[in-house]
Amino acid sequence: MMTRPLLTAFLGFLLAERLVVADSASYRFDSWTSDSGLPQNSVYSILQTADGYLWITTLDGLVRYDGIRFQIFNKINSKGINSNRFTKLFEDRDKNLWISTEDRGLTRYRDGAFITYTMKDGLPTNWIESFRQNDSGELFVRTGKGVARWQDDRFALVSADVNYFDSTLGYKDRSGALWHRLGSILRRVKDGEVTEYTIPEYKNVAPYRPPLYEDSQGRLWVGTNQTELFIVENGAMTRYTTEDGLPSYQIGSFCEDSEGAVWMNTFGGGLVRFQGGRFTTFTTEDGFPSNNVMAICRDREGTLWAGTNNHGLVRITKKIVEANLL
């Protein structure tokens, strides 16, 4: 469900589309910082929940955006929050919003209330890296000291191996195939048939582990924590490096826009767009507010949002020019 402000803004955008023509080569970047309502300028994660709100994590509070104003939740004004340094977001199938903190465990938002879980509630450590939910609806979290499963209102250690996410749980694509990362092997399993691809092993740098991502064309995007990425399409894998236009910085995550272009945030190299076999990079030299991009997200109205390490929240839209009606 879309909130009324976001719906109003979207309808206004549709009306404007009748009067303007989009320039496919240009984008507009609108940003919000602590001067315009954010509690702090480091935005680590962005997520639109099922109720239409846009949630934003910062290092000085959790933010909910309704299209008009930012509502800030922190340990001073919200019972159940024990840290203001928020990092990752995940909404499970039961509409629970899970928010990881940098230093004090995992916070859940449900029915208007917050509760925070820590090592006292079964977490191997209070630092949470990522989330995953399996076909049965079980929630798993990867921490710096292993993987835990949510069950019976607490967490239980499943494996002390942080690679359990990739090696055992895997990533399921829309065809039903399950993908596993096993050191230098990317393995696809479907209907008993196994296909393997060779990829670089993670460098010994923590905590960075790029995700797998499937786009609308069925291509699987494989990030590494090196300056390269791989795309698996129709059984063939293609490698891309800086020679193909990638910036010489690690890729964080992937997001597809309404035109089928795939966007990537990088930690130092700006925002990257891939379409038609070509990479386009947007940095401060191109008017993007920051080169340290921590997150990228597409909302249900098709708008792209990016979080930066030092310049707040950025909305990415097509730059529009007035049509010549004469």
Side-chain angles (χ1 to χ4, degrees), residues 149-201:
R149 178 174 54 205
W150 172 250
Q151 60 182 45
D152 301 325
D153 291 327
R154 63 178 288 110
F155 287 92
L157 181 68
V158 175
S159 174
D161 182 7
V162 296
N163 294 314
Y164 181 91
F165 253 41
D166 297 322
S167 63
T168 305
L169 291 177
Y171 174 87
K172 180 172 281 190
D173 65 23
R174 290 191 300 274
S175 75
L178 198 62
W179 297 81
H180 302 280
R181 300 182 78 147
L182 308 165
S184 62
I185 298 297
L186 176 68
R187 179 177 295 164
R188 179 184 186 270
V189 182
K190 185 181 181 184
D191 301 328
E193 182 178 344
V194 178
T195 307
E196 293 186 345
Y197 305 87
T198 301
I199 58 173
E201 291 191 53

Side-chain angles (χ1 to χ4, degrees), residues 5 15 25 56 61 122 126 141 152-153 198 229 292 301 308 310 313:
L15 180 60
I56 302 152
N126 286 337
V141 295
D152 301 325
D153 291 327
T198 301
L229 69 85
N292 284 313
E301 290 73 55
T308 70
N310 47 15
L313 177 70

Side-chain angles (χ1 to χ4, degrees), residues 31-139:
S31 60
W32 289 261
T33 65
S34 56
D35 292 332
S36 45
L38 288 179
Q40 198 258 355
N41 288 334
S42 294
V43 173
Y44 275 35
S45 189
I46 308 164
L47 175 71
Q48 187 178 29
T49 48
D51 57 11
Y53 285 109
L54 201 68
W55 291 82
I56 302 152
T57 60
T58 80
L59 295 184
D60 194 26
L62 177 67
V63 181
R64 187 174 68 185
Y65 183 53
D66 63 6
I68 294 178
R69 71 184 186 96
F70 298 107
Q71 183 174 359
I72 300 168
F73 302 94
N74 56 42
K75 60 184 180 180
I76 294 177
N77 65 24
S78 301
K79 182 181 178 181
I81 290 179
N82 67 355
S83 172
N84 291 342
R85 300 180 69 83
F86 292 102
T87 52
K88 301 290 183 65
L89 292 160
F90 181 81
E91 186 179 30
D92 67 24
R93 296 173 196 169
D94 295 323
K95 306 301 184 291
N96 296 299
L97 179 62
W98 298 88
I99 316 106
S100 63
T101 71
E102 191 180 65
D103 53 356
R104 295 193 178 181
L106 182 59
T107 299
R108 183 183 70 176
Y109 179 75
R110 179 177 181 176
D111 298 329
F114 294 96
I115 183 170
T116 297
Y117 302 92
T118 65
M119 294 174 66
K120 294 186 297 183
D121 304 290
L123 287 173
T125 179
N126 286 337
W127 187 85
I128 309 298
E129 181 183 338
S130 54
F131 307 85
R132 189 161 296 173
Q133 202 167 9
N134 65 13
D135 289 342
S136 301
E138 295 178 301
L139 176 69

Side-chain angles (χ1 to χ4, degrees), residues 187-232:
R187 179 177 295 164
R188 179 184 186 270
V189 182
K190 185 181 181 184
D191 301 328
E193 182 178 344
V194 178
T195 307
E196 293 186 345
Y197 305 87
T198 301
I199 58 173
E201 291 191 53
Y202 289 124
K203 286 185 177 179
N204 188 25
V205 291
Y208 182 67
R209 293 174 182 273
L212 298 177
Y213 177 80
E214 184 185 16
D215 65 21
S216 62
Q217 300 179 47
R219 298 177 298 186
L220 187 78
W221 296 69
V222 185
T224 73
N225 55 11
Q226 303 173 36
T227 56
E228 59 186 336
L229 69 85
F230 297 82
I231 299 176
V232 181

